[in-house]
Amino acid sequence: MNESLSAQLNNPKTVRAWCMYDWAISVYNLVITTTFFPIYFLGVTKSAYGENTVPFLGREFKNTSLYDYTLSFAYLAIALLLPILTSIADSRGNKKKFMQFFCYLGGLACIGMFWFGGGKPSVEWGLTCFIFATIGYVGSLVFYNSYLPEIAKPEDQDRISARGFSMGYVGSVLLQLIGFGLVIYFSGNGDETSGPLFTFLLTGFWWIGFAQITFAQLPEPKAPPVTGKNVWVAGFQELKKVWTQVKKLVVLKWFLIAFFFYSMGVQTVMLAATLFGQQTLGLPADKLIITVVLIQLVAIPGAIIMSRLSAKYGNVTVLMGVVLIWIVICFSAYYTAVLKENGNFVEYHFYGLAVLVGLVMGGVQSLSRSTYSKLMPPTNDTASFFSFYDVTEKIAIVIGTFAFGYIDEIFGMKHSALLLAVFFVLGVGALVITRNKEKQVRKALQAQLNTADV
């Protein structure tokens, strides 16, 4: 780590600026992906075509499945791009510039969604903006995450990571409430489309605007000498080099395997929860928006609680408990859908699930990020290691969202919930192995220390 960055460790201004990007960017994940866009997309396509089947690129799709496939494509694109981008950033020392580029790409794409609608909507336009917004969101996050070990000491990374997530939840809930107010205002005047469209517009301006606070303070890593490497292949070579190191670090290897499996479930649940509530349970848009706000409000103390529990019991042990709760959530979602089919569904069943999701949602993301950061070997190539982490997560999302949409298209969405439970079971199994390997490594290190003392 160069001197300019080491001087920034636990610097209050730098930490605040880093956390502020969570405030700026989290509105996309909540307002666009989780709430308003899926509700708007399902509503406007059903209104335009009279059913849940949507023509797209010469073929007809179930609208919920098309939404999942679009997400899967976006995450596949970014998974392929990330190695190239981090290679350029590492070789030129300009990770902040790439973080800015993806911020502006995503923010402008959100603004572009304002023109998605009217009559039979241009599905291609709306989904193209959605894809670019997702790429901008994910692309900037890899560079944002890679700053964590450069601005915080190892013992403070759990706390600062949780602080970032908490700020993100507060900011996104605030804009969520503003969007909800816009929807109520325009709906009261018989306009069902302007509320979400203006919310898309505000999201783009919010993201770009508040990010300026981060960009003004966040340090730019010192550029290393240009080696003449082909940046188009160097990134993949870096991933291979990282994987070579990971294979030798048995605890980190098994953690990444666990992370891969449970990320298939976590991210898909978060991306598809609104679809499940609207399509499978038939909940109206206003109640879904309130439910998502409830999830975010519960997630704030949830992330803090998980951080404190990890300090007492260890990250891996707490993650095991969190993933077990996710398994309960998946089976409960299936049971709730069965109750709906039998006419015994009560809305409070869904609200109870929402509270449970909120409690573990922030914790699993925050703890995963900080656990990986602490398990990483000492290195200056943090962007490469976090690129590997992000590519692992994005490939998991590609598989998770595509599988969810495919099962939904063939068997129905309630069966997709059972599929996610399988991913979580595999994840918790790998976490058990991770914890055992961690104990073995600690025991071996203690034995070495005892031998040295003798």
Side-chain angles (χ1 to χ4, degrees):
M1 187 181 298
N2 61 56
E3 293 181 5
S4 62
L5 285 178
S6 61
Q8 296 287 343
L9 284 176
N10 286 37
N11 181 297
K13 289 184 178 180
T14 305
V15 170
R16 280 196 298 269
W18 183 82
C19 291
M20 180 54 72
Y21 195 69
D22 243 315
W23 170 283
I25 195 174
S26 292
V27 295
Y28 164 78
N29 201 30
L30 173 64
V31 177
I32 301 293
T33 307
T34 306
T35 312
F36 288 94
F37 188 79
I39 292 173
Y40 178 78
F41 178 75
L42 297 189
V44 78
T45 51
K46 188 172 183 178
S47 175
Y49 300 106
E51 54 187 12
N52 293 328
T53 302
V54 182
F56 182 72
L57 299 179
R59 188 194 153 184
E60 291 191 344
F61 294 87
K62 186 177 180 182
N63 53 5
T64 51
S65 295
L66 179 59
Y67 177 83
D68 291 326
Y69 295 153
T70 302
L71 276 172
S72 183
F73 175 81
Y75 279 100
L76 177 62
I78 198 65
L80 295 174
L81 283 172
L82 278 176
I84 299 170
L85 297 171
T86 50
S87 172
I88 296 173
D90 280 344
S91 63
R92 303 295 188 270
N94 54 2
K95 71 166 73 175
K96 188 164 82 170
K97 290 185 176 63
F98 276 94
M99 186 176 163
Q100 290 172 309
F101 169 78
F102 280 105
C103 167
Y104 299 142
L105 173 67
L108 291 174
C110 291
I111 293 170
M113 291 179 188
F114 179 76
W115 289 275
F116 174 33
K120 284 200 173 184
S122 172
V123 177
E124 287 83 0
W125 171 258
L127 292 182
T128 298
C129 287
F130 184 49
I131 287 171
F132 279 113
T134 304
I135 290 174
Y137 169 75
V138 177
S140 63
L141 274 182
V142 68
F143 299 106
Y144 167 68
N145 287 338
S146 71
Y147 268 104
L148 180 58
E150 297 178 355
I151 65 163
K153 296 177 181 178
E155 62 270 21
D156 294 309
Q157 288 172 11
D158 285 343
R159 176 180 58 82
I160 291 174
S161 179
R163 178 180 169 186
F165 274 106
S166 297
M167 286 191 65
Y169 291 136
V170 174
S172 55
V173 167
L174 179 59
L175 187 57
Q176 177 91 329
L177 292 173
I178 295 172
F180 187 40
L182 288 171
V183 169
I184 293 175
Y185 171 76
F186 284 105
S187 297
N189 295 318
D191 183 351
E192 300 294 335
T193 61
S194 292
L197 293 178
F198 276 106
T199 302
F200 300 157
L201 193 67
L202 280 175
T203 300
F205 285 120
W206 177 292
W207 183 354
I208 293 173
F210 282 109
Q212 302 312 307
I213 299 173
T214 301
F215 298 147
Q217 183 65 34
L218 210 59
E220 181 70 85
K222 184 179 178 181
V226 178
T227 60
K229 287 184 179 180
N230 184 339
V231 294
W232 301 103
V233 298
F236 295 97
Q237 292 172 343
E238 282 295 312
L239 289 185
K240 183 179 179 181
K241 185 169 71 175
V242 170
W243 174 238
T244 300
Q245 295 181 64
V246 167
K247 286 190 294 185
K248 298 175 182 177
L249 302 168
V250 65
V251 178
L252 180 59
K253 180 183 73 172
W254 276 103
F255 170 73
L256 279 172
I257 293 171
F259 175 70
F260 176 74
F261 283 117
Y262 70 69
S263 288
M264 289 185 195
V266 171
Q267 299 298 330
T268 305
V269 169
M270 293 168 59
L271 295 169
T274 307
L275 300 179
F276 184 83
Q278 185 174 16
Q279 195 86 329
T280 304
L281 302 181
L283 295 175
D286 57 345
K287 292 184 178 180
L288 285 172
I289 294 171
I290 292 172
T291 302
V292 174
V293 171
L294 174 64
I295 290 174
Q296 300 303 309
L297 291 174
V298 174
I300 297 170
I304 296 171
I305 290 170
M306 297 303 169
S307 174
R308 292 178 178 175
L309 287 175
S310 67
K312 184 175 182 179
Y313 299 105
N315 288 31
V316 177
T317 300
V318 174
L319 279 171
M320 286 171 55
V322 170
V323 176
L324 285 172
I325 294 174
W326 278 107
I327 295 172
V328 172
I329 290 171
C330 291
F331 281 107
S332 299
Y334 176 82
Y335 179 67
T336 302
V338 172
L339 290 177
K340 176 66 176 179
E341 291 177 352
N342 296 333
N344 298 319
F345 170 69
V346 179
E347 288 181 7
Y348 292 108
H349 294 149
F350 186 68
Y351 299 147
L353 273 177
V355 170
L356 203 56
V357 168
L359 282 172
V360 295
M361 181 175 66
V364 72
Q365 290 180 295
S366 176
L367 272 182
S368 296
R369 180 168 66 182
S370 58
T371 300
Y372 180 76
S373 180
K374 290 193 289 188
L375 290 175
M376 280 169 46
T379 178
N380 290 325
D381 294 331
T382 56
S384 293
F385 266 85
F386 270 96
S387 174
F388 191 89
Y389 175 83
D390 279 281
V391 168
T392 300
E393 183 185 48
K394 282 16 168 205
I395 292 175
I397 295 173
V398 170
I399 297 171
T401 53
F402 183 85
F404 189 91
Y406 186 72
I407 296 298
D408 174 28
E409 197 164 19
I410 297 176
F411 299 108
M413 202 176 294
K414 71 175 184 180
H415 294 96
S416 296
L418 291 180
L419 173 70
L420 297 183
V422 174
F423 297 150
F424 284 120
V425 169
L426 293 172
V428 78
L431 282 172
V432 171
I433 298 174
T434 304
R435 188 177 64 172
N436 291 337
K437 296 295 182 183
E438 191 175 40
K439 289 180 178 178
Q440 291 172 10
V441 169
R442 287 178 180 172
K443 188 176 180 180
L445 287 174
Q446 187 61 48
Q448 290 179 4
L449 290 173
N450 293 339
T451 302
D453 291 339
V454 174

